[in-house]
């Protein structure tokens, strides 16, 4: 019988971690666990985000025969303790999705993202735990909207996204062993967005005046934004499909000392059209003026990298620009109106909402979405 998923970080035991790791690496033993740090809901500030999960840093000792290459400083993502006052909606579909990514897809990826060592979701307790490499030991810089503008870092992350998108470009595996990867039109994730996340958006608009006024200033409404997002996803499902990170805002990326870009937090991975990822990255990574100045060149850079990784029929520049402009809707409505200040800190939330709202306005995303309703 599997060991129950713990309620608190203090219940992480060598036996549980050995069981989790054994699913991916049979015979791997973990003999000792030392908790280094715990971050939970409400512990966020403008430099550290704590959104959907508690994050526990641990040091481990492996048993005899363990590969020397395995990291000994690990990060455990787990359900937020039940006694925490948390405004997040139920996010079971996201937890299931990220566990599936690390257990089923991460082992075949050759790009910069944390190594997974095992994870599990329990539908009875509705709790999850995920064991992975702590990339901070590699002296990475975790990207944040409070950073100074750095186009080179944005290019590094775009390069990693291009590598990901190229690997699964129009892949026939979406009908076979990757059939578990949901599209953006239907499935458990879309049900979550339609129900609990939408209710959460209404709550955020109600409690945060600046979000409410941004929506009003754009001359739109929650109902129009929600209908537009559904139409956008249906439309882009007719375009070439690939594997998407799904939540590629700047704060879910990092850069190594050698300049390589990395990706974090795979909870809403899906299959869809590539501008979903690249628009969300670019509109959050740079100030409004820097984004206006550099976005066309960044799109051209991304397309060049996509082709370099083997995509022979990449979208032409005109289609890429059009769908990039339409995709600004996601970053504003689903990306940052949803984010409570408790998750990221107030400054980051304000920056995220302001940057994505400005991009929505600049690109006349509302008008472009109405063309496909």
């Amino acid at each position: 019988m599997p060991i129950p998923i713990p309620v608190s970080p203090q219940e992480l035991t060598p036996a549980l971690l050995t069981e989790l790791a054994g699913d991916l690496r049979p015979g791997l033993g973990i003999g000792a666990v030392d908790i280094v740090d715990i971050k939970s809901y409400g512990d966020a500030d403008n430099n550290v985000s704590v959104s959907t999960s508690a994050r526990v840093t641990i040091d481990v000792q492996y048993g005899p025969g363990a590969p020397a290459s395995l990291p000994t400083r690990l990060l455990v993502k787990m359900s937020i303790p039940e006694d925490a006052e948390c405004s997040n909606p139920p996010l079971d579909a996201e937890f299931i999705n990220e566990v599936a990514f690390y257990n089923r897809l991460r082992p075949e990826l050759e790009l910069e993202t944390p190594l997974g060592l095992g994870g599990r979701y329990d539908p009875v307790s509705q709790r999850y735990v995920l064991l992975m490499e702590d990339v901070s030991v590699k002296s990475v810089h975790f990207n944040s909207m409070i950073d100074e503008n750095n186009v080179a870092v944005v290019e590094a992350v775009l390069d990693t996204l291009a590598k990901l998108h190229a690997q699964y470009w129009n892949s026939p595996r979406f009908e076979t062993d990757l059939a578990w990867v949901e599209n953006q039109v239907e499935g458990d994730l879309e049900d979550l967005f339609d129900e609990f996340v939408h209710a959460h958006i209404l709550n955020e608009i109600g409690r945060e005046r600046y979000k409410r006024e941004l929506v009003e200033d754009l001359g739109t409404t929650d109902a129009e934004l929600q209908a537009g997002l559904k139409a956008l996803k249906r439309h882009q499902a007719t375009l070439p499909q690939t594997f998407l990170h799904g939540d590629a805002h700047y704060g879910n990326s990092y850069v190594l000392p050698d300049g390589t870009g990395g990706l974090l937090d795979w909870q809403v991975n899906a299959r869809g059209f590539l501008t979903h990822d690249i628009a969300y990255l670019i509109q959050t990574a740079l100030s409004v003026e820097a984004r206006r100045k550099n976005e066309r060149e960044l799109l051209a850079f991304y397309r060049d990298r996509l082709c370099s990784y083997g995509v022979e029929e990449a979208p032409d520049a005109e289609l890429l620009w059009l769908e990039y402009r339409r995709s600004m809707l996601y970053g504003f409505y689903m990306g940052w109106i949803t984010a409570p200040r408790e998750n990221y800190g107030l400054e980051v939330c304000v920056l995220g909402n302001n940057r994505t709202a400005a991009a929505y306005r600049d690109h006349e995303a509302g008008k472009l979405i109405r063309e496909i309703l």
Side-chain angles (χ1 to χ4, degrees):
M1 182 175 179
I3 297 173
I5 294 177
V7 173
S8 70
Q10 288 76 14
E11 297 172 16
L12 293 169
T13 64
L16 171 65
L17 300 187
T18 294
E19 188 174 276
L20 293 174
D23 292 340
L24 292 178
R25 297 170 177 80
L28 179 66
I30 295 178
V33 179
D34 181 34
I35 294 177
V36 177
D37 188 42
I38 299 172
K39 295 288 186 184
S40 192
Y41 191 82
D43 292 336
D45 57 32
N46 291 314
N47 295 298
V48 177
S49 67
V50 182
S51 53
T52 61
S53 312
R55 304 187 183 197
V56 188
T57 305
I58 60 174
D59 286 333
V60 300
Q61 295 179 14
Y62 297 105
S69 60
L70 287 179
T72 57
R73 172 65 59 88
L74 304 179
L75 181 70
V76 182
K77 294 179 69 173
M78 58 189 299
S79 299
I80 291 170
E82 294 173 351
D83 59 355
E85 293 186 8
C86 177
S87 67
N88 285 341
L91 298 171
D92 304 52
E94 294 189 5
F95 302 151
I96 293 168
N97 209 38
E98 189 167 35
V99 168
F101 168 80
Y102 274 103
N103 285 350
R104 304 175 73 170
L105 194 71
R106 175 63 184 94
E108 69 183 60
L109 290 181
E110 295 183 1
L111 53 82
E112 181 55 40
T113 194
L115 177 71
L117 281 88
R120 186 176 300 155
Y121 172 82
D122 176 24
V124 176
S125 67
Q126 296 181 302
R127 304 192 66 79
Y128 91 110
V129 61
L130 185 59
L131 186 64
M132 68 182 69
E133 168 191 18
D134 181 358
V135 295
S136 66
V137 301
K138 298 192 289 189
S139 300
V140 308
H141 173 75
F142 293 104
N143 297 326
S144 169
M145 282 183 280
I146 65 174
D147 294 346
E148 295 297 323
N149 293 318
N150 192 325
V151 173
V153 171
V154 182
E155 288 179 341
V157 181
L158 284 172
D159 180 75
T160 299
L161 284 171
K163 190 174 185 179
L164 172 70
H165 295 161
Q167 184 170 348
Y168 298 99
W169 186 257
N170 276 334
S171 176
R173 294 175 60 194
F174 290 131
E175 303 300 322
T176 57
D177 64 307
L178 294 183
W180 61 270
V181 181
E182 294 186 11
N183 60 37
Q184 295 186 299
V185 178
E186 59 186 359
D188 291 342
L189 279 174
E190 285 306 302
D191 290 343
L192 170 67
F193 296 150
D194 288 344
E195 298 172 19
F196 295 111
V197 174
H198 180 234
H200 182 71
I201 287 172
L202 293 175
N203 180 67
E204 281 296 301
I205 292 174
R207 77 165 183 156
E208 296 282 18
R209 181 180 296 274
Y210 78 94
K211 294 183 181 182
R212 186 163 62 252
E213 292 190 358
L214 281 173
V215 173
E216 293 170 352
D217 188 53
L218 290 171
T220 187
T221 64
D222 165 77
E224 185 177 38
L225 291 167
Q226 185 188 34
L229 184 59
K230 298 293 286 185
L232 175 65
K233 290 180 176 181
R234 289 193 301 268
H235 165 69
Q236 291 190 339
T238 68
L239 301 175
Q241 301 290 281
T242 189
F243 186 85
L244 300 175
H245 177 278
D247 193 22
H249 69 80
Y250 199 47
N252 276 344
S253 68
Y254 59 95
V255 63
L256 297 176
D258 69 0
T260 302
L263 299 169
L264 299 166
D265 290 346
W266 296 84
Q267 291 186 336
V268 293
N269 69 79
R271 68 181 188 267
F273 187 62
L274 53 85
T275 54
H276 176 89
D277 279 349
I278 59 178
Y280 197 20
L281 175 68
I282 293 172
Q283 74 185 142
T284 54
L286 300 168
S287 69
V288 173
E289 288 305 314
R291 188 256 308 156
R292 290 168 177 163
K293 179 181 178 181
N294 292 282
E295 59 193 335
R296 281 189 179 272
E297 289 76 13
L298 287 169
L299 276 179
F301 170 86
Y302 166 84
R303 188 180 185 280
D304 285 346
R305 299 309 299 152
L306 186 70
C307 293
S308 77
Y309 288 123
V311 176
E312 296 180 355
E313 298 182 357
D316 62 34
E318 183 178 353
L319 175 63
L320 195 61
W321 179 246
L322 175 61
E323 297 303 329
Y324 169 81
R325 295 174 64 203
R326 283 196 176 115
S327 295
M328 295 303 167
L329 169 60
Y330 178 87
F332 174 59
Y333 180 62
M334 187 60 69
W336 282 93
I337 288 181
T338 58
R341 64 174 68 193
E342 295 89 350
N343 286 17
Y344 297 95
L346 180 59
E347 184 179 2
V348 167
C349 282
V350 171
L351 284 171
N353 279 272
N354 286 344
R355 289 180 180 184
T356 56
Y360 178 94
R361 180 193 298 279
D362 286 351
H363 288 290
E364 298 182 298
K367 176 183 177 181
L368 295 176
I369 294 297
R370 286 191 290 274
E371 293 177 358
I372 57 173
L373 283 171

